[in-house]
Amino acid sequence: METRQPVDLRTSRSSNPIGIDEPNPVFRWRVESDRRGARQTAFRVVVASTPERLAAGEGDVWDTGKRSSDRPAVAYDGPPLESGTTYRWAVRVWDESDEPGPWSDPARWETGLLEPSDWKAAWIRRPADGAFERGRFTYLRREFTLDGTVTRARAYVSASHRYELSVNGRVVDEGPAPSYPDHQYYRTVDLAADLTAGENAIGALCNWNGAGQGRPAAEPGFVCQLDVTFADGRERTIATDGSWRVREAEWRADAPLRNDEIAEPVEIIDARRAPDGWAEPGFDASAWASAAVVGTHPTEPWERLLAQRTDTVRSPVESESIERLESGAYVIDFGRVYAGVPRVRFENGTDGHRVAFRAGYRLEDDGSVAETAGTQWTDMRYEYVQRDGSGTFRAFNYLGFRYLQIDDPGESIDAEQVRLLARRHDVPDERAATFASANETIDAVFELARHSALYGSQEQFVDTPTREKGQFLLDAFNISETTTHAFAERTLSRRTIAAFVRSQDRYWADEGRLNAVYPNGDGKRDIPDFTVSFPEWVWRYYRTAGDRAILQRAYPVVRAIAAYVERHVDAETGLVTALSGGEGGPYEEGIVDWPPEMRYGYDREWPARTTVNVLCASALGRAADVAAELDRPARERSRYRERQRVLEAAIDDQLRRGDRYVDGCDATDASDSSSQHANALPLAFGLVPEERTDAVADRVIEQGMAMGPMMVPWLLEALEVADRPEAIVDLVTDPEADGWANILAQGGTFTWESWHCRDRSLPDDHRRNRSESHAMGATVLVTILRALLGVRLDETGIAGERVEIRPPESGLESASGRVPTERGTVAVSWTRSDSAGGEAGDGGEPLRLEATIPWNTAATIALPTDDRDAVATVDGEPVRAGENARTFPDGVSAARRGERLEIDVESGMYRFALE
């Protein structure tokens, strides 16, 4: 008998998290079941203060009682939570027969420091001389004695800009995420297993770099509060104050910057100056200076500390090959581009011997690592000054790279001495989504996109881990769309959306715009296309994650964006005209695509641009959708919907010329250019009249790949809307044309910023600057899952309530894979056979499909056939549509819609066939 026991319990979208500062965390769960029709009809959640009370079913903190709901989530609305407290919870559910299942295994969460008064620690730093020079590295440490057995220890830590925390000689944490000092993140670190009775030491290696791309200006500072609980119930706090000792680290202080955007120093490390054992008890720090105290938190400029609920992880990557050049240099190939830091162990160092390193993306003809090609105008050197004997070089700040060159190491180097410590956001499951097909190129593109999205996710979504590390809005939208589908990622997307919401509060409260990159060192800077794309991102994230809280948080900003759009509607044309933004630079009035060569000649010399208008219509429509979802007044919803309708009508009237859309217009004339951008976006957003769809799709397909990685999601969605899977396959797999297959053909291992990164016909500056590690192009993974595997979230459902499985009519002979949703994993495998005499891929041959629909989910299986007498079977039993329609077996029904036979099923495992 099936247990129907809830599993995968999550608090605020994390498993047993610590340091949560949300007053009303949301609890989520699911049930693993392949029983037909398995679903939840009610639940009960209890929250208890102790394991014993939870085990007894006593919700002494909070008890929902039995609540009728099919939603596997509930927000806490009990008594106010206390700081630094562990809470325990469990859930049971009632099934479709109103039968209760067993209680889940216990879950827990722990609050962080919820009030400013909870902080006892002071912000400290090195004394003023040199502390404010960018690129400085600083050690901070403190020893202390613990006179008992430790049962609980939490360190609450933050720094400006970055720290690496060590306890008793072991690195235990790093952070925090980039933020403004008045909205700083802190991390909560569990140190119970790292502390012992007796002498202990805690310390940090900190790096302050000043302002840069993705990194706002701030003062250097470090804060740490260690709260310890002993077995006998006693408590003790060790906090940063003037008793901590500090000294400059062994990084050279006057090193050049890697570039003006990343604004991080080239790391030149003198191992002779390294204080061995600095984080261990008993180390002699008497010569170190006393820490300078800025003030107990909160203090200027650190006005607020918020819990950071995202983590990064590091994992060692071994080399795929190591070659010794004629020069004596060693070149290590790690097989793919990763974001990370190099680590090299030397066995026989010589005092004062300088070893030069160079990371990179490409090799020269002589096998050396290219100094300029593919470097994104970034100085990717390192230098290590040896001491006698053994020693290890390890960089502090990460870069994206594939190759590492070691010049004159002074000894033979083998593969065991070299590692790349790859780093990324700690996603729930890096293999949550899978795809395999009969087409090896599509499979390779899927893996290219998966890898790129994974390592484009750091403390924030980065446009590139090498040149900038900035969190650009549209880059983040694209990466988030990929990570939510590929890895079931939620927390980084949620935090990033909230960050761009704050950008309007900080810089654009009266104008309705958003920063193009946030946080950042250059303050107020927007790109109009990015601003008007934001409501679409908010809505897609909500539909995937069911995160009502972020929808509520974003709605005032979505409304302000809608007002921004409305202010720019020209009374004569009805179009959004001269949309203000990006003033005085290459972003003015909308960029269409980026870099400029990825516009493929789009005619931008018109005040009303087609791409901008389509995105503005989407912004109005999403404002209406969000308003409806939040039960806003009917007049509010209808107003946005009407404004959307009017703008879409103007687009059709002013920018469409028969079966094509032009790039732009004014009140008296229009462009002669009909770019792919101008035609793909109306198609993707459903603006093309039905009778024109095929002709517009044909035009888009004829242009091949004429959109860049930033905007290519709309090209792929245009082909999906037009139901042209074979065109998607062609676009994804052509190694000669611009696109992902061409990246692979040229040896790329990470999606690129521009399809033309290695195009020798372009100026050298273009090729040197363009990034070969730009994850915004990874969205092809989503299209592969949706259009080629055929699994998509149904438009009528939120957070996996309903899914549609729609295998393509042509383009592939077979595919299998998994797609994670909030309610579980959808597994699909389908094969099209040519045994009936049809040509493979022509849609006329029999189809076999197996699908597993997760608990609490409904699905529509849309099987392609233009034969109205076609018979589908479910587990061998026929299901017909039409006048003789019937339901068989239980929970299965069928209907014909166009050239698809649609079969509605409930949760469970099914085998379908179409003859």
Side-chain angles (χ1 to χ4, degrees):
M1 179 178 179
E2 186 179 2
T3 63
R4 303 185 302 281
Q5 182 184 40
V7 297
D8 190 23
L9 274 62
R10 291 163 289 154
T11 309
S12 294
R13 302 193 174 277
S14 298
S15 175
N16 298 327
I18 63 174
I20 296 296
D21 61 356
E22 294 184 36
N24 304 103
V26 175
F27 308 123
R28 288 178 167 81
W29 59 90
R30 61 183 178 83
V31 171
E32 292 181 343
S33 173
D34 59 6
R35 191 183 74 252
R36 297 281 174 89
R39 58 188 174 89
Q40 171 187 301
T41 57
F43 68 84
R44 181 186 173 194
V45 169
V46 295
V47 178
S49 58
T50 67
E52 294 75 20
R53 285 180 169 168
L54 186 68
E58 298 177 13
D60 62 316
V61 177
W62 186 57
D63 189 337
T64 65
K66 181 182 178 182
R67 290 191 184 182
S68 295
S69 174
D70 66 352
R71 183 171 181 252
V74 64
Y76 175 83
D77 62 1
L81 302 173
E82 298 181 3
S83 291
T85 302
T86 300
Y87 295 91
R88 295 158 176 87
W89 69 280
V91 59
R92 73 187 309 186
V93 300
W94 281 256
D95 67 11
E96 66 279 6
S97 301
D98 199 32
E99 290 292 328
W103 285 99
S104 67
D105 291 336
R108 67 183 185 277
W109 89 97
E110 185 180 300
T111 53
L113 302 183
L114 304 181
E115 302 293 338
S117 60
D118 294 327
W119 285 90
K120 313 302 180 188
W123 285 89
I124 62 173
R125 59 189 173 213
R126 211 148 41 99
D129 58 319
F132 287 85
E133 295 179 22
R134 69 189 309 157
R136 289 298 178 99
F137 290 80
T138 300
Y139 287 112
L140 310 95
R141 78 181 304 275
R142 159 81 188 270
E143 288 196 26
F144 53 94
T145 302
L146 298 176
D147 58 350
T149 301
V150 175
T151 57
R152 182 182 181 276
R154 299 291 184 266
Y156 306 100
V157 196
S158 188
S160 177
H161 285 104
R162 293 196 51 75
Y163 72 80
E164 193 174 79
L165 187 71
S166 294
V167 174
N168 293 336
R170 188 177 79 88
V171 175
V172 294
D173 193 55
E174 63 174 332
S179 56
Y180 291 84
D182 59 359
H183 200 99
Q184 183 90 2
Y185 290 111
Y186 76 91
R187 292 182 50 76
T188 301
V189 189
D190 182 356
L191 297 182
D194 296 283
L195 301 176
T196 61
E199 298 300 315
N200 293 267
I202 187 170
L205 171 61
C206 294
N207 175 224
W208 181 76
N209 282 316
Q213 197 78 276
R215 185 180 64 247
E219 296 181 12
F222 174 74
V223 66
C224 177
Q225 179 169 315
L226 173 58
D227 289 343
V228 180
T229 302
F230 297 97
D232 60 9
R234 290 178 299 120
E235 297 180 347
R236 183 181 174 192
T237 295
I238 296 101
T240 42
D241 56 21
S243 69
W244 284 55
R245 310 291 283 184
V246 299
R247 65 153 274 187
E248 186 173 9
E250 60 269 24
W251 278 254
R252 200 173 99 183
D254 60 347
L257 297 180
R258 293 202 182 278
N259 61 37
D260 290 336
E261 291 187 281
I262 194 176
E264 292 175 355
V266 172
E267 296 190 41
I268 302 174
I269 303 172
D270 189 342
R272 299 169 300 177
R273 296 179 57 234
D276 286 353
W278 70 274
E280 297 176 2
F283 177 83
D284 182 7
S286 58
W288 291 25
S290 296
V293 176
V294 183
T296 302
H297 180 79
T299 187
E300 189 68 32
W302 299 284
E303 300 173 6
R304 188 182 182 191
L305 282 171
L306 301 176
Q308 179 182 327
R309 292 186 17 249
T310 57
D311 296 303
T312 56
V313 293
R314 289 187 177 186
S315 55
V317 177
E318 297 182 1
S319 61
E320 287 203 355
S321 68
I322 180 167
E323 299 289 338
R324 192 170 189 270
L325 306 181
E326 291 185 4
S327 66
Y330 288 83
V331 173
I332 297 91
D333 180 3
F334 294 101
R336 292 195 279 188
V337 171
Y338 292 88
V341 298
R343 184 185 69 188
V344 181
R345 187 182 74 254
F346 296 96
E347 304 290 354
N348 302 294
T350 301
D351 186 79
H353 178 65
R354 294 178 178 269
V355 182
F357 304 83
R358 184 165 67 246
Y361 286 75
R362 306 186 208 167
L363 298 179
E364 301 287 6
D365 292 340
D366 64 359
S368 64
V369 175
E371 293 188 55
T372 59
T375 60
Q376 307 164 44
W377 284 344
T378 302
D379 188 336
M380 300 182 68
R381 294 176 299 139
Y382 303 90
E383 190 173 303
Y384 180 68
V385 182
Q386 293 180 335
R387 62 186 178 187
D388 281 336
S390 62
T392 299
F393 161 76
R394 182 172 69 87
F396 185 86
N397 293 308
Y398 70 89
L399 287 174
F401 64 96
R402 172 176 175 173
Y403 301 101
L404 181 69
Q405 180 169 319
I406 309 174
D407 294 328
D408 191 17
E411 62 184 81
S412 296
I413 299 293
D414 62 38
E416 290 301 313
Q417 294 174 254
V418 185
R419 291 289 186 275
L420 189 163
L421 297 179
R423 75 189 308 276
R424 58 172 175 79
H425 172 59
D426 188 13
V427 299
D429 182 356
E430 64 178 281
R431 300 283 178 178
T434 63
F435 179 83
S437 73
N439 189 307
E440 293 181 357
T441 302
I442 295 178
D443 296 356
V445 169
F446 183 89
E447 175 57 25
L448 173 74
R450 190 201 66 83
H451 177 82
S452 303
L454 191 63
Y455 289 97
S457 305
Q458 301 292 326
E459 291 89 353
Q460 56 189 2
F461 292 121
V462 295
D463 64 338
T464 166
T466 297
R467 187 184 65 217
E468 294 171 310
K469 302 184 185 177
Q471 182 169 257
F472 281 79
L473 192 158
L474 201 51
D475 294 61
F477 178 3
N478 284 2
I479 304 171
S480 167
E481 181 81 345
T482 308
T483 58
T484 54
H485 287 79
F487 316 125
E489 178 277 313
R490 302 288 184 265
T491 55
L492 187 56
S493 291
R494 187 179 206 269
R495 198 190 76 202
T496 304
I497 290 172
F500 282 106
V501 165
R502 288 195 295 272
S503 80
Q504 190 174 97
D505 299 337
R506 184 180 295 273
Y507 292 121
W508 306 99
D510 298 327
E511 300 177 65
R513 306 189 215 173
L514 298 176
N515 248 40
V517 54
Y518 190 93
N520 208 37
D522 58 4
K524 188 175 182 178
R525 174 158 66 100
D526 75 314
I527 298 176
D529 323 54
F530 289 16
T531 291
V532 295
S533 297
F534 185 70
E536 184 71 29
W537 180 12
V538 170
W539 181 249
R540 289 186 179 215
Y541 169 75
Y542 171 68
R543 286 193 61 247
T544 301
D547 192 341
R548 190 175 180 84
I550 202 67
L551 201 67
Q552 293 168 326
R553 176 70 180 90
Y555 183 56
V557 168
V558 171
R559 291 189 64 187
I561 293 171
Y564 163 62
V565 168
E566 291 171 5
R567 288 195 301 273
H568 289 84
V569 174
D570 175 65
E572 189 170 358
T573 63
L575 295 172
V576 173
T577 301
L579 184 63
S580 57
E583 286 88 349
Y587 305 153
E588 192 161 12
E589 296 182 12
I591 60 173
V592 178
D593 211 331
W594 195 263
E597 68 268 18
M598 293 292 93
R599 296 172 186 148
Y600 291 87
Y602 187 101
D603 183 2
R604 298 171 71 235
E605 301 304 315
W606 298 91
R609 295 174 183 167
T610 302
T611 53
V612 165
N613 273 271
V614 173
L615 293 172
C616 285
S618 165
L620 294 171
R622 292 316 184 197
D625 291 332
V626 177
E629 196 68 22
L630 296 178
D631 298 320
R632 301 291 299 178
R635 64 181 181 278
E636 194 172 305
R637 306 195 299 264
S638 60
R639 178 175 178 273
Y640 290 133
R641 193 66 72 198
E642 177 62 16
R643 295 297 177 93
Q644 176 194 15
R645 187 196 64 77
V646 170
L647 180 54
E648 289 179 352
I651 292 170
D652 190 65
D653 182 56
Q654 301 288 328
L655 294 168
R656 182 171 62 81
R657 300 290 184 270
D659 292 335
R660 66 185 180 94
Y661 289 80
V662 297
D663 292 356
C665 72
D666 58 23
T668 60
D669 202 1
S671 173
D672 291 327
S673 174
S674 295
S675 67
Q676 191 176 65
H677 290 85
N679 286 271
L681 265 72
L683 195 58
F685 284 92
L687 274 61
V688 180
E690 185 176 355
E691 67 275 11
R692 306 283 185 178
T693 295
D694 283 342
V696 173
D698 288 343
R699 174 177 294 276
V700 168
I701 292 167
E702 288 167 3
Q703 292 171 304
M705 177 68 82
M707 295 169 69
M710 174 181 287
M711 297 297 284
V712 77
W714 305 127
L715 171 57
L716 294 170
E717 289 200 22
L719 300 177
E720 189 177 343
V721 167
D723 199 14
R724 300 292 185 91
E726 72 287 347
I728 294 174
V729 170
D730 290 345
L731 198 70
V732 170
T733 60
D734 188 346
E736 302 299 326
D738 292 352
W740 302 272
N742 184 249
I743 291 177
L744 293 171
Q746 295 188 67
T749 59
F750 205 112
T751 51
W752 292 352
E753 179 181 19
S754 164
W755 305 126
H756 300 164
C757 281
R758 300 187 182 183
D759 186 347
R760 295 188 178 276
S761 68
L762 290 175
D764 182 60
D765 278 355
H766 282 64
R767 289 185 286 115
R768 285 182 58 194
N769 176 258
R770 303 310 187 229
S771 160
E772 294 185 17
S773 54
H774 233 81
M776 66 183 180
T779 48
V780 65
L781 179 146
V782 181
T783 297
I784 290 172
L785 294 176
R786 286 166 49 96
L788 301 184
L789 181 60
V791 179
R792 67 196 79 192
L793 296 180
D794 193 283
E795 292 291 336
T796 62
I798 300 296
E801 292 173 332
R802 290 195 58 86
V803 297
E804 182 185 41
I805 299 174
R806 186 185 180 96
E809 186 174 358
S810 57
L812 283 180
E813 296 179 8
S814 65
S816 63
R818 301 193 308 268
V819 180
T821 77
E822 279 295 296
R823 301 192 177 198
T825 299
V826 178
V828 173
S829 176
W830 59 263
T831 301
R832 186 176 288 111
S833 167
D834 62 359
S835 60
E839 293 295 325
D842 70 2
E845 57 275 10
L847 180 70
R848 303 287 185 269
L849 185 148
E850 294 185 6
T852 300
I853 313 303
W855 161 86
N856 224 23
T857 300
T860 297
I861 316 298
L863 304 178
T865 176
D866 55 6
D867 182 357
R868 303 197 66 81
D869 294 325
V871 176
T873 61
V874 180
D875 297 336
E877 299 292 341
V879 178
R880 296 179 180 274
E883 293 181 3
N884 296 320
R886 61 185 177 124
T887 299
F888 186 91
D890 289 345
V892 177
S893 61
R896 171 170 291 282
R897 294 180 178 89
E899 294 186 355
R900 296 270 174 174
L901 182 62
E902 297 190 357
I903 304 171
D904 292 328
V905 298
E906 299 175 338
S907 57
M909 183 183 294
Y910 299 86
R911 291 178 174 84
F912 302 89
L914 181 65
E915 303 291 351

